[in-house]
Amino acid sequence: MAGQGMSASLLQLENVTIRFGGLTAVSELDLQIGAGELVGLIGPNGAGKTTVFNLITGVYQPTAGKISFASAPTAKLKAHHLARRGIARTFQNIRLFSSLTVFDNVRAAAQLHCERRVINSLWRGRAFREGEQEIARQVMELLEIFQLGKFRDESAKSLPYGDQRRLEIVRALATKPKLLLLDEPAAGMNPTEKVELARLIRFIKDKFQISILLVEHDMQLVMEICERIVVLDYGIKIAEGNPDEVRKNPKVIAAYLGD
Amino acid sequence: MNSGAKRFLIAAILVAAVVSAFSAQFNRYYLGVVIDIGINVILAVSLNLINGHTGQFSLGHAGFMAVGAYAAAKISIVFSDKIPAQLAPVLFVAALLSGGLLAALSGLAVGVPTLRLRGDYLAIVTLGFGEIIRVVLQNMESVGAASGLKNIPHDTNLFWAWAFAAITVFVVTSIVNSTYGRGFIAVHDDEIAASSIGVNPVRYKVTAFVFGAFFAGIAGGLYAHHKQFLSPTGFDFLKSIDIVMMVILGGMGRTAGVIVAAVLLTLLPEFLRGFAEYRMILYSLLIIVLMILRPQGLFNFKNPWRAKA
Ligand SMILES: Nc1ncnc2c1ncn2[C@@H]1O[C@H](COP(=O)(O)OP(=O)(O)OP(=O)(O)O)[C@@H](O)[C@H]1O
Ligand SMILES: [Mg+2]
């Protein structure tokens, strides 16, 4: 077998297709992401980018094709199983827990790695209290890294838009993922915030040693930080390569101009 | 926060014990009302875990209460003259717990298939469940059928009612305020986001439902040993609505508010004895007023859970 020698990819999509009634939203897509890679996924509106995220995270099951993560097939696994295996995401339309505080939004995600269950929360013994303190410490550490610590007791939905986007990233990171999917993290951000975001995404990749798949409409941002870019149009992969190759690709130019 | 919750529990049980020791001096009527309050607090706080914190809509709480009430009462009746008198409290608690467990089991049986479906189904299925329980009890000769179950030992006193109310409040707030318990509110707010961070929405919903049913069963057992008589009609749809009203009035997901509402809605009918038939009209008016004050919709009540961790 190929095994160890090959640079084993973390995420692998083979021939993945999904149809919604008559509409083929994603068609025979091949996609690989290696450990520690930062890959961009771009394409015009309705190209199928968010659908690819939903396929990877188990929100949708593919009509045909195969997806595997960390060398194991993901067929039939639900979103919460895949989160446990190490896939985390943010949402194009921010989905924070609106009745929880900033701190608790992240704490809810941190529970993934605490095996304390109902009974422990009732008995509240020493192990439970120490566990809760440890989680609180980790949550605060994450919030501080992203300069959100000062908002810890604010309601999540009261934050400015850009901060809500960053809080969603922090929440995703609190699950300690191997792969992070970011769906248009720069949407609604001003130019200064976008520059800061680019720095942040690189920082996350290095500091947490994870792979990132980035969907983003801001071309400058994508070209600047991605090592490899995949272009979708009407659910079909029309190009793949480094930023320069993609920028010059006539199919890509046509897809964007024709849009 | 942690030791605070435990301290509350111990303090509340001590207060219940001390007050209960003097209960012989109280007017019997008032004593009865105070016990009713304890039972209703259990019902409302446990339903709040399902309808408030987890964002489900169950209309079956009276059904689970009936399961607990009849099971506990039957156990007491069958065994009370077969054991020495000093073991009576042990039998009583065992009967209550059995009633609670049986209610929890029926909660599991109803919850597992329905909670996989979308929210609205739960209301319909639990409504049906409550009615089925009532009809079954009405036809079960061994529990007195339509004429009711009589001669239940008078074991519920102020201490037991309040001690179990304190335990219910403790259990529900402890679960919800733990890191694990943030998952209930996460499911309430956004199921897709909740599953994206590894929270299994179905599992949380079933857990809330089973815990809620357990305490409804306990409340039923307390009720049975308080009134000493059970009739299937006492556990009809309107009884479930009574409990739902407490949760809505108190503000879904806010335990303190729900306790206040349980107290108020226990006292209100007592003050308005003469107008008993108009109670449902009054409730309807209450709902309308609430609707006007909360145009975002009653079942969509969202409020920041400010946990001091
Ligand atoms: N659940 C669904 N049912 C039916 N059609 C769907 C569903 N989800 C997505 N689609 C369709 O699939 C196509 C791709 O949608 P998708 O949201 O993946 O696009 P996108 O590339 O993320 O676009 P945008 O840049 O606007 O976010 C669209 O035509 C959309 O209407
Ligand atoms: Mg999209």
Side-chain angles (χ1 to χ4, degrees):
Chain A
M1 298 290 288
Q4 315 280 298
M6 305 275 288
S7 72
S9 63
L10 181 64
L11 177 78
Q12 194 152 10
L13 275 70
E14 285 172 66
N15 255 312
V16 169
T17 298
I18 183 165
R19 286 187 205 96
F20 298 112
L23 176 91
T24 306
V26 174
S27 178
E28 300 182 348
L29 177 66
D30 287 315
L31 176 68
Q32 292 198 9
I33 298 175
E37 246 194 317
L38 203 175
V39 179
L41 179 62
I42 62 171
N45 284 82
K49 306 177 295 293
T50 299
T51 305
V52 169
F53 273 23
N54 286 334
L55 286 164
I56 295 172
T57 55
V59 175
Y60 299 149
Q61 296 293 330
T63 314
K66 222 169 72 184
I67 304 176
S68 50
F69 180 72
S71 318
T74 67
K76 300 272 179 326
L77 291 182
K78 298 260 174 59
H80 61 90
H81 294 129
L82 290 164
R84 273 178 193 281
R85 296 213 174 171
I87 302 180
R89 73 178 291 185
T90 64
F91 295 89
Q92 187 170 350
N93 315 306
I94 301 176
R95 284 175 175 270
L96 288 167
F97 303 124
S98 56
S99 38
L100 289 175
T101 60
V102 168
F103 177 81
D104 275 344
N105 262 274
V106 183
R107 185 153 77 112
Q111 69 117 27
L112 187 61
H113 296 285
C114 77
E115 283 314 316
R116 268 159 264 284
R117 293 276 160 243
V118 185
I119 300 306
N120 307 70
S121 64
L122 290 181
W123 177 247
R124 310 207 148 217
R126 179 127 155 256
F128 170 80
R129 290 203 303 273
E130 281 170 6
E132 294 280 283
Q133 273 160 17
E134 173 60 19
I135 287 172
R137 200 188 56 71
Q138 288 175 13
V139 168
M140 277 320 287
E141 193 179 291
L142 269 180
L143 284 174
E144 292 298 350
I145 292 177
F146 295 87
Q147 281 105 43
L148 290 168
K150 55 182 179 292
F151 298 127
R152 64 166 284 172
D153 292 324
E154 309 270 319
S155 153
K157 66 183 166 187
S158 72
L159 293 190
Y161 198 72
D163 287 334
Q164 290 196 20
R165 286 231 171 261
R166 283 191 301 133
L167 178 58
E168 241 199 352
I169 299 177
V170 178
R171 182 179 69 182
L173 287 174
T175 64
K176 300 184 180 156
K178 298 190 185 86
L179 171 67
L180 176 62
L181 310 176
L182 300 173
D183 201 344
E184 301 198 20
M189 286 190 174
N190 63 39
T192 337
E193 283 177 319
K194 281 183 187 171
V195 172
E196 176 59 18
L197 180 72
R199 192 194 62 77
L200 198 67
I201 293 174
R202 274 209 215 89
F203 167 80
I204 290 170
K205 190 185 96 126
D206 296 337
K207 157 119 184 155
F208 298 95
Q209 302 274 313
I210 58 178
S211 311
I212 296 178
L213 180 59
L214 171 69
V215 164
E216 184 49 66
H217 275 298
D218 188 304
M219 279 312 142
Q220 207 183 333
L221 182 76
V222 178
M223 298 288 170
E224 183 192 330
I225 64 176
C226 294
E227 298 144 14
R228 185 156 59 88
I229 295 171
V230 173
V231 189
L232 280 187
D233 191 22
Y234 293 110
I236 297 164
K237 179 159 87 178
I238 56 166
E240 178 167 7
N242 66 37
D244 263 340
E245 290 164 353
V246 164
R247 209 190 324 252
K248 291 182 191 129
N249 189 309
K251 277 192 193 164
V252 177
I253 295 167
Y256 273 91
L257 289 180
D259 195 43
Chain B
M1 158 183 132
N2 302 316
S3 51
K6 253 187 191 169
R7 249 182 270 134
F8 156 82
L9 177 66
I10 292 164
I13 291 178
L14 280 179
V15 169
V18 171
V19 176
S20 192
F22 294 99
S23 61
Q25 338 250 312
F26 297 157
N27 174 316
R28 288 206 40 177
Y29 167 72
Y30 290 128
L31 190 63
V33 173
V34 171
I35 292 174
D36 286 340
I37 288 179
I39 293 172
N40 281 338
V41 165
I42 300 175
L43 289 168
V45 170
S46 59
L47 183 65
N48 191 32
L49 178 62
I50 304 170
N51 288 21
H53 295 297
T54 323
Q56 303 303 293
F57 194 65
S58 167
L59 284 171
H61 231 48
F64 296 121
M65 185 188 176
V67 170
Y70 273 88
K74 190 70 191 172
I75 291 172
S76 286
I77 291 170
V78 170
F79 291 103
S80 61
D81 49 1
K82 296 191 178 67
I83 57 152
Q86 59 271 38
L87 282 181
V90 179
L91 173 66
F92 174 52
V93 173
L96 286 182
L97 293 178
S98 315
L101 286 176
L102 201 61
L105 272 180
S106 33
L108 195 66
V110 176
V112 168
T114 28
L115 289 166
R116 292 173 185 283
L117 307 171
R118 264 198 13 261
D120 340 8
Y121 291 99
L122 187 69
I124 297 160
V125 172
T126 49
L127 182 70
F129 165 77
E131 289 303 290
I132 290 169
I133 290 292
R134 196 172 56 77
V135 171
V136 167
L137 291 171
Q138 229 149 23
N139 292 292
M140 227 162 122
E141 290 301 334
S142 60
V143 292
S147 54
L149 188 57
K150 300 179 197 67
N151 302 325
I152 305 166
H154 190 235
D155 286 329
T156 300
N157 56 23
L158 193 147
F159 169 72
W160 289 119
W162 281 27
F164 274 105
I167 290 172
T168 310
V169 173
F170 170 77
V171 169
V172 171
T173 48
S174 294
I175 291 177
V176 172
N177 285 328
S178 65
T179 296
Y180 167 81
R182 298 288 93 180
F184 291 105
I185 298 156
V187 169
H188 166 277
D189 281 353
D190 190 328
E191 280 187 37
I192 292 181
S195 37
S196 84
I197 56 163
V199 165
N200 178 350
V202 175
R203 196 184 177 134
Y204 269 87
K205 287 191 225 169
V206 170
T207 304
F209 201 67
V210 168
F211 268 83
F214 174 79
F215 284 108
I218 296 277
L222 287 164
Y223 176 86
H225 294 80
H226 173 44
K227 305 287 179 196
Q228 296 178 266
F229 169 73
L230 292 177
S231 153
T233 47
F235 301 101
D236 60 1
F237 169 63
L238 291 178
K239 178 69 190 171
S240 288
I241 295 288
D242 272 358
I243 311 168
V244 169
M245 274 302 300
M246 293 172 191
V247 174
I248 293 176
L249 200 67
M252 298 237 190
R254 295 152 105 205
T255 305
V258 167
I259 294 173
V260 172
V263 175
L264 284 181
L265 289 189
T266 315
L267 294 178
L268 201 63
E270 299 297 330
F271 286 127
L272 302 177
R273 284 229 153 220
F275 311 93
E277 317 86 84
Y278 302 116
R279 195 179 45 162
M280 277 301 147
I281 298 179
L282 193 73
Y283 280 12
S284 315
L285 284 176
L286 266 175
I287 290 193
I288 293 170
V289 171
L290 270 166
M291 282 283 198
I292 293 166
L293 295 178
R294 300 227 159 262
Q296 70 266 42
L298 282 172
F299 306 137
N300 202 5
F301 195 100
K302 289 192 179 173
N303 207 65
W305 269 262
R306 289 181 185 276
K308 284 155 234 99

